[in-house]
Amino acid sequence: MKVWITLFMLWMTMPCFTQPVSIDFDALQQSKPWSATEQWEPEPARVTPGVNTSPPSDAVVLFDGKDLMAWHTPKYDYGTRMDQVVSIIEWKETHPEFSDPQWLIKDGQLIVNPGTGAIETKQSFGSVQLHIEWLAPVDPGKESQGYSNSGIFFMGLYEIQILNSYENRTYSNGQAGAMYKQFMPLVNASRPPGEWQSYDIIFMAPSFDKDGDLKQPAYVTAFQNGILIQNHVELRGPCIFIGEPSYFKHADKLPLLLQDHGDRVRYRNIWIREL
Ligand code: MG
């Protein structure tokens, strides 16, 4: 009897295995319940992909090796401290003063011309997908932040760093692929100086309510040479050199800016898609 009770108790504690649910599709042909979860409208816009990294059909081409028609040089470029950042954006809104960019074009490459200032797109952008290729020239003797420094400023405010970060140590949140002084890259995906590299970046612009309060912060996802280096990071405000960042209300769309940091960094194949 004891054995039977033990076996019974064991059976009671055994997991209950039943057959997987089977679906009789022939029986459902009349009602077709699968159609209830099919979305037909709207249909995604048709975009023709580029060949390799050439621009897809709906991209705004910012530089294709020929000219700087899409760019100009603003009288004031970017701020290094919050009070300066705010004043420059306000100044630009009320005093739009620009000159022709003095950066050089050689062999289809755009080269920073040190001392001539940043260049900025004539068109303003909010949330975007950006493709850009860049090269840090070989420059023996240079080091840290001084070795091929430039930068891509989304909306003229939010910088992803351009720097030679191949065997060139600097502060981690200031190396190539860093959202400057806010997020170091997840890994160092840098190629040696003298080699072309790419960034593919999704920048989601911040938004503000009518009182000027932050509604949604800016987010960045970025790949360097095909490797994920920023994974949906939430920015704390503009990327600044001095002090703590904080948000301030600005326009929904502002120009993209490339930094002149005194080094002859080269760019090519720059295209952008509005999101
Ligand atoms: Mg920089």
Side-chain angles (χ1 to χ4, degrees), residues 115-192:
T116 63
I119 62 170
E120 197 174 82
T121 54
K122 292 176 182 171
Q123 187 175 338
S124 291
F125 300 97
S127 297
V128 291
Q129 172 188 351
L130 175 74
H131 174 86
I132 191 163
E133 294 168 28
W134 57 276
L135 180 148
V138 177
D139 226 338
K142 290 201 168 181
E143 58 175 16
S144 191
Q145 293 286 303
Y147 199 154
S148 292
N149 194 330
S150 183
I152 302 158
F153 286 63
F154 293 92
M155 309 189 88
L157 294 166
Y158 308 99
E159 182 192 11
I160 185 162
Q161 177 69 304
I162 299 271
L163 192 76
N164 167 35
S165 285
Y166 184 85
E167 297 176 356
N168 176 42
R169 189 79 178 105
T170 187
Y171 43 96
S172 301
N173 60 359
Q175 71 181 65
M179 291 313 298
Y180 188 70
K181 288 205 167 169
Q182 294 193 35
F183 292 94
M184 64 181 214
L186 292 169
V187 291
N188 182 341
S190 292
R191 293 194 170 124

